[in-house]
């Protein structure tokens, strides 16, 4: 272990990254936020700050470094807008007030590619009913930056904040659709598996889906998180650790497409540890779980929603996979298996 | 001219960058913001959106790509916090609600350097009374990113928005201190002029200075902008163009330190076209200009404040320099003479 240098795993969304951020940024940093805030120490999908009148300002930020910038099912522009919209939604926001967009370009970057990305951002913003209100442009020299990096920040106002730490024993775990699509699509494209036609990233803004569920079953949803870097395994491990509960997943209930299964087998990668960019994981009160799934399935982005697990008091902080033949522990991934996945 | 590729000048803060952003992002992009908003099309230092109760949400974002990351008088961490705090202040905000921080690191980046930058951000946040509430960390491979890039976004709530477009004929132009320090300090360090001991960047969060002036002379301030990339020449050209007025600068009134003058002469660079990172340019009603300068000078960051020019109806959109012996037009810089200045 070389602890005096930053390594790829520190940016990969898993355990190594959380440890770095906790050590460097969170420890000993009193944030001075008002009572009732969700700040850096919570390490949630974003922050929430009370602004009076029972309202919270929600804010979230992400840098997008994906390679390749155009991939099956999307591109870096769609990813940047969706990623930020989804993080707002994961805090309980049901509409976005504004997005900001800071772009860093490599000297010589093709203008046509930038126009295509801009157009993709515009379309995705329209889908999400979210305006980009301000931005920044920097250019770095060749060899100083690879292509394009887009950092988006989102701001929303909400009356209810949903945390990622709210799981209770007995809750059901619901996912809003198939798992592993983004990660496997990008990996297949990078490895030229030749199956990209069938395998597409799920990248999409899912705030309208989350809003649809919260409007019908707001009280039933106990926790929300999007399974991006590190996939469902990473998101659920973090949720379980924060709530001090265990989670048992039913392997046979996990919605995974045939294409993802095929690519995962070829690449030797578990679909549970790779990024999704258009999905949410929810904790849902047991008695409402079926109704929540039915409501999710009414929405085009929730057609494959499913109950996939149960929150327990066993093995707090751990994720257990029930295969139908036995149970095994799912290790929290150190990080995403592939760098630059989002 | 190679119009099908992005070039360094497009990220340099001057005319070329504004043209690119206008063409690509602003034109034909209906932002759907409520009446009274300041959106992307205004190309101000940030955006402002009414949120009810006579209040506006102000938001601003910047990616920081400076090289070297440690420079005389500061580092990329202090720059990132100050740059964003100052952009909020330039919109009229007198306190910051929250900052976000997205960091991109090169694989192998020294941990000690990251800790030093983190500490610098912490100190600067404390100075600015602004908490970092959420963040993101990505790692890119060697040769994919040069060192570290930090994107900060700031959010504030204000009852009054000050635009950069508010200059009126007859207003005086006030600067809050010496000009050219940041740009010349970084250039001198990069060219190893060996005069860095005397020459330091002015990088600092100046929200408290701006708040001090606005609390005493709020109505007197007609326009606000920070002269970052492209320096005073770029900021004032933009302000003049937006307001459809001319600006005459009195060369002998411009506060420029001996060290900056010396370095500027050695490098053949005009201090008026390089970045400042702890200064503001203000339009001030003529009758209040002396009082505003006196108030600025009460504050440690405003000791060298001065009236440096007058807003006119002549040559709308242009900047004229009165040397004492004659008058000449100051061209709007195409961009900052040095890449990666901020």
């Amino acid at each position: 272990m070389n602890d005096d240098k930053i390594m790829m795993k520190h940016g990969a969304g898993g355990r190594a990254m959380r440890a770095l951020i906790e050590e460097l940024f969170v420890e000993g940093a009193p944030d001075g936020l008002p009572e009732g805030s969700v700040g850096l120490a919570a390490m949630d999908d974003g922050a929430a700050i009370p602004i009076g009148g029972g309202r919270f300002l929600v804010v979230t930020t992400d840098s997008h470094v994906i390679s390749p910038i155009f991939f099956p099912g999307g591109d870096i522009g769609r990813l940047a807008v969706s990623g930020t919209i989804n993080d707002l939604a994961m805090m309980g926001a049901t509409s976005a007030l504004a997005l900001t967009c800071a772009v860093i370009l490599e000297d010589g970057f093709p203008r046509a590619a930038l126009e295509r990305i801009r157009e993709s951002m515009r379309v995705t913003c329209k889908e999400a009913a979210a305006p980009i209100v301000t931005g920044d442009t920097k250019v770095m020299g060749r060899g100083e930056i690879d292509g394009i990096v887009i950092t988006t920040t989102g701001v929303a106002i909400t009356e209810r904040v949903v945390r990622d730490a709210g799981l209770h024993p007995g809750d059901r775990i619901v996912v809003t659709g198939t798992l592993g699509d983004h990660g496997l699509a990008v990996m297949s494209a990078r490895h030229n598996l030749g199956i990209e036609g069938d395998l597409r990233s799920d990248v999409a803004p899912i705030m309208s889906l989350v809003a649809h569920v919260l409007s019908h079953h707001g009280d039933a949803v106990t926790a929300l998180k999007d399974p991006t870097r590190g996939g469902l395994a990473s998101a659920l491990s973090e949720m379980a650790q924060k709530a001090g509960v265990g989670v048992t997943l039913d392997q046979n209930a996990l919605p995974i497409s045939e294409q993802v299964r095929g690519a995962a087998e070829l690449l030797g990668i578990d679909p549970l540890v790779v990024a999704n960019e258009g999905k949410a994981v929810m904790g849902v009160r047991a008695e409402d779980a079926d109704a929540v799934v039915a409501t999710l399935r009414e929405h085009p982005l929730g057609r494959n929603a499913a109950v996939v697990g149960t929150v327990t008091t066993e093995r707090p902080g751990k994720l257990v996979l029930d295969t139908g033949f036995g149970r095994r522990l799912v290790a929290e991934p150190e990080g995403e298996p592939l760098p630059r996945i989002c």
Side-chain angles (χ1 to χ4, degrees), chain A:
Chain A
M1 292 295 269
N2 188 348
D3 275 350
D4 61 350
K5 289 197 195 321
I6 302 302
M7 296 162 70
M8 296 303 283
K9 66 177 181 180
H10 291 122
R15 192 172 46 189
M17 188 175 95
R18 277 207 290 150
L20 173 78
I21 293 176
E22 272 175 11
E23 269 177 58
L24 264 185
F25 287 99
V26 175
E27 269 178 29
D31 56 16
L33 288 177
E35 180 81 23
S37 296
V38 180
L40 200 54
M43 297 190 70
D44 207 322
D45 302 289
I49 305 165
I51 56 166
R55 300 192 299 171
F56 292 83
L57 183 83
V58 175
V59 56
T60 182
T61 195
D62 270 312
S63 290
H64 301 275
V65 300
I66 192 165
S67 173
I69 56 175
F70 299 102
F71 51 83
D75 58 65
I76 191 172
R78 182 167 179 80
L79 179 71
V81 172
S82 301
T84 293
I85 289 292
N86 293 350
D87 277 341
L88 291 176
M90 295 307 115
M91 297 299 291
T94 55
S95 68
L97 193 60
L99 299 186
T100 70
C101 171
V103 180
I104 306 170
L105 294 159
E106 183 176 8
D107 184 25
F109 190 80
R111 196 184 166 103
L114 185 58
E115 284 176 11
R116 194 172 148 199
I117 292 164
R118 181 273 325 261
E119 190 52 31
S120 170
M121 295 186 82
R122 194 178 289 186
V123 167
T124 313
C125 278
K126 204 172 167 187
E127 256 176 84
I132 292 176
V133 298
T134 190
D136 180 49
T137 309
K138 295 277 162 42
V139 179
M140 290 170 78
R142 289 179 196 225
E144 294 177 342
I145 181 106
D146 181 26
I148 181 171
V149 168
I150 302 179
T151 304
T152 38
T153 302
V155 179
I157 292 178
T158 185
E159 291 183 1
R160 180 182 172 211
V161 175
V162 181
R163 305 285 303 272
D164 63 2
L167 292 182
H168 294 287
D171 287 351
R172 294 291 184 271
I173 300 297
V174 170
V175 296
T176 61
T178 55
L179 298 168
D181 302 76
H182 178 75
L184 269 306
V186 174
M187 279 193 235
S188 300
R190 258 198 256 175
H191 288 87
N192 288 309
L193 290 195
I195 52 171
E196 298 91 84
D198 299 322
L199 186 58
R200 297 167 67 81
S201 166
D202 58 334
V203 59
I206 59 166
M207 182 177 267
S208 63
L209 174 67
V210 175
H212 182 59
V213 162
L214 291 179
S215 73
H216 287 82
H217 312 278
D219 294 340
V221 177
T222 58
L224 262 177
K225 198 165 191 69
D226 54 346
T228 55
R229 280 181 286 177
L232 184 70
S234 190
L236 271 178
S237 294
E238 198 178 331
M239 292 168 88
Q241 286 164 35
K242 288 180 178 177
V245 297
V247 169
T248 301
L249 279 182
D250 175 2
Q251 184 166 44
N252 297 313
L254 294 168
I256 297 173
S257 76
E258 280 313 306
Q259 294 89 331
V260 166
R261 277 189 207 283
E265 209 155 291
L266 273 171
L267 291 163
I269 301 271
D270 182 350
L272 295 191
V273 306
V274 302
N276 306 275
E277 291 293 345
K279 301 290 153 52
V281 194
M282 299 179 172
V284 179
R285 284 190 319 220
E287 62 270 31
D288 302 304
D290 290 340
V292 163
V293 167
T295 301
L296 283 166
R297 288 183 174 175
E298 291 166 6
H299 191 286
L301 292 167
R303 292 263 179 267
N304 298 304
V307 177
V308 299
T310 304
V311 179
T312 68
T313 53
E314 300 157 41
R315 324 245 4 196
K318 299 291 183 191
L319 193 56
V320 173
L321 189 69
D322 185 337
T323 63
F325 302 102
R327 292 149 67 94
R328 68 170 175 87
L329 216 55
V330 180
E332 181 183 5
E334 181 78 357
E336 175 79 28
L338 195 70
R340 300 186 64 185
I341 198 75
C342 63

